[in-house]
Amino acid sequence: MKALERYGNYSIYKVLQKFNRAKHDDMQKVRMEKSVSFEEMLETEIEKENSIFDALNNMNKQQLEVSENVQKLIIDPDSIDTHDVTISMEKAQMSLSLAQNIVSRICNAWQEISHTSL
């Protein structure tokens, strides 16, 4: 760099310095933008938790609806269509099966993670 200063190209040296500083500052800004605050992370986790609870509540409602429909069918067969009972039973069975598969996969993933050596 002393050679640049000697030949009057000191301005090029200053431009390169400013460019490197600007590049470094831009990288810092990108890092700061990518970092998520604790509050945002907590809100995201709460939303996920709420959606899981909503899914479980929906599955529970489907199971209760099946029970009510079967009771109606037994007490007063003309009050409800047999197809509606069958459809509600299949919906409830599918949602329960999906929940069981999700829980099973989560447990398997946890076992794999816990057995992984660091």
Side-chain angles (χ1 to χ4, degrees), residues 12-114:
I12 294 173
Y13 173 70
K14 287 288 188 182
V15 168
L16 289 175
Q17 272 187 332
K18 288 181 180 181
F19 176 75
N20 285 336
R21 271 194 221 119
K23 185 177 170 185
H24 178 71
D25 291 344
D26 288 343
M27 290 176 71
Q28 288 289 59
K29 286 179 186 176
V30 168
R31 286 185 191 131
M32 294 294 282
E33 289 173 0
K34 285 185 180 179
S35 65
V36 179
S37 71
F38 180 73
E39 181 180 357
E40 291 171 349
M41 184 177 68
L42 190 60
E43 286 175 359
T44 304
E45 291 302 317
I46 289 172
E47 287 173 6
K48 287 179 187 176
E49 186 175 319
N50 287 339
S51 65
I52 291 171
F53 283 131
D54 291 343
L56 290 175
N57 284 333
N58 188 23
M59 184 187 67
N60 188 39
K61 286 178 186 176
Q62 288 177 346
Q63 298 292 331
L64 294 174
E65 182 182 327
V66 168
S67 296
E68 290 174 11
N69 288 344
V70 169
Q71 286 177 359
K72 285 180 187 177
L73 187 64
I74 291 171
I75 294 172
D76 186 16
D78 295 332
S79 68
I80 191 164
D81 190 21
T82 313
H83 297 295
D84 291 336
V85 176
T86 306
I87 290 171
S88 66
M89 289 174 80
E90 284 302 314
K91 282 183 180 179
Q93 179 60 35
M94 286 180 64
S95 65
L96 180 63
S97 176
L98 178 64
Q100 287 174 335
N101 284 332
I102 290 171
V103 169
S104 174
R105 287 183 183 204
I106 290 172
C107 289
N108 289 339
W110 178 254
Q111 285 177 351
E112 287 182 25
I113 289 171
S114 64

